[in-house]
Amino acid sequence: MPTPDPSSPAPAGAEPRIPCHVAVIMDGNGRWAERRRRPRAVGHRAGARAVNTCIDFCLERGIGALTLFAFSSENWGRPEDEVGALMKLFLNALDREVEELHRRGVRVRFIGQRDRFGPALVQRMAAAETTTRDNTRLNLTIAASYGGQWDIAQAARSLARDVAAGRLDPDAIDEAMLGSRVCLADLPPPDLFIRTGGEQRISNFLLWQLAYTELWFTDALWPELDAATLQRALDDFASRERRYGLTGAQVAGRPQETSE
Ligand code: FPP
């Protein structure tokens, strides 16, 4: 399959642009359960099924990277029973899904403060990463105990260590160097960000990496996610012109109209 160029809308008659990397905030599990008068944990279990829908969709469409926000740095502050239910769900999902993901060519990785999880989960995460490390069909990253501010701080800390050790001149630090120390530095930045659940905010997700990402929001709650909703996001993405701070004429390679 040719590498898609997600930078600008496809010319008429051409295949629509497909994002190389999609990042998702999976919001609305709790409300989905509450509307059914069920405990929030039931919503999270339904949310785990929607994760499979999303992975299937990316595999079918040839999307190379998918990053899912599963648990934020702030989510540790939720009621103890909800955090416990989520940990159990993550553990079960890893036990249940990794072999199948491996069989389908999915590379699984985790970003975030892993040392905050219990040893069983940490061990399963490492095992999933080792089992799937050579897969190339889909790069699946699960952001767990992750915060965008934490990510930038850990990148800054790593540069500061190099400066303190005399390995790095502070004047050499630029955006590219900091960008090489944040999570996902080995992937292209997300082309498309999707958030379900009706809220229109980034909520401390990939703050650095989303600088030029196209944002797409839907009122659908995460457990309601289906291929049609994801396709709407892709269609909208395909119709957008990405300018990266340039003019429309520059992006299209047209002569620039100058003002008088
Ligand atoms: C946000 O919905 C969702 C979460 C904090 C958890 C996300 C977890 C899953 C989708 C389940 C399993 C994931 C994996 C990777 C196996 P919310 O609870 O904040 O919903 P609300 O806004 O309606 O309360």
Side-chain angles (χ1 to χ4, degrees):
M1 186 179 299
T3 308
D5 170 8
S7 59
S8 57
E15 285 292 310
R17 298 278 191 266
I18 298 277
C20 293
H21 183 176
V22 176
V24 184
I25 294 189
M26 312 182 282
D27 195 16
N29 293 349
R31 277 166 287 162
W32 183 90
E34 281 157 15
R35 282 179 197 173
R36 288 161 179 75
R37 301 186 195 291
R38 305 296 307 276
R40 293 174 60 83
V42 173
H44 294 312
R45 284 207 292 277
R49 291 192 287 277
V51 168
N52 286 332
T53 303
C54 192
I55 293 171
D56 291 348
F57 183 86
C58 289
L59 286 168
E60 278 162 23
R61 295 296 188 283
I63 292 166
L66 172 66
T67 301
L68 300 174
F69 204 6
F71 194 80
S72 72
S73 308
E74 293 73 27
N75 286 153
W76 289 111
R78 289 195 175 197
E80 214 175 298
D81 61 337
E82 183 171 346
V83 172
L86 275 167
M87 295 304 130
K88 212 167 135 193
L89 184 62
F90 294 149
L91 207 56
N92 290 342
L94 282 169
D95 282 343
R96 215 180 35 238
E97 308 288 348
V98 169
E99 273 313 312
E100 177 65 6
L101 290 170
H102 180 44
R103 196 188 62 72
R104 298 170 84 191
V106 178
R107 179 177 187 186
V108 182
R109 286 189 294 181
F110 298 87
I111 54 171
Q113 288 176 283
R114 203 175 295 204
D115 54 5
R116 296 190 69 178
F117 292 109
L121 208 40
V122 171
Q123 184 271 326
R124 296 311 199 283
M125 288 173 170
E129 290 180 330
T130 305
T131 303
T132 64
R133 70 179 160 211
D134 295 326
N135 294 338
T136 54
R137 201 169 154 214
L138 173 65
N139 247 298
L140 173 64
T141 305
I142 309 290
S145 190
Y146 175 87
Q149 293 172 338
W150 164 83
D151 192 358
I152 294 168
Q154 67 78 26
R157 207 161 36 242
S158 122
L159 293 174
R161 274 197 207 101
D162 284 355
V163 170
R167 289 189 294 266
L168 178 62
D169 174 358
D171 289 332
I173 298 173
D174 59 8
E175 293 92 325
M177 191 180 289
L178 197 130
S180 73
R181 306 279 176 116
V182 295
C183 296
L184 307 180
D186 62 326
L187 294 176
D191 303 297
L192 174 63
F193 161 96
I194 296 174
R195 181 176 186 146
T196 61
E199 312 291 356
Q200 304 207 350
R201 50 179 173 255
I202 292 175
S203 298
N204 199 17
F205 194 22
L206 304 162
L207 299 181
W208 180 275
Q209 299 84 342
L210 293 177
Y212 279 102
T213 302
E214 297 297 323
L215 309 182
W216 192 83
F217 301 93
T218 174
D219 288 336
L221 303 175
W222 178 253
E224 297 166 344
L225 186 86
D226 58 13
T229 304
L230 290 167
Q231 188 56 51
R232 276 201 299 283
L234 251 57
D235 291 345
D236 193 349
F237 173 81
S239 73
R240 295 189 192 184
E241 180 185 62
R242 304 182 74 189
R243 291 197 291 275
Y244 301 95
L246 303 181
T247 67
Q250 283 177 302
V251 169
R254 291 193 313 268
Q256 186 69 56
E257 282 175 28
T258 47
S259 51
E260 52 196 74

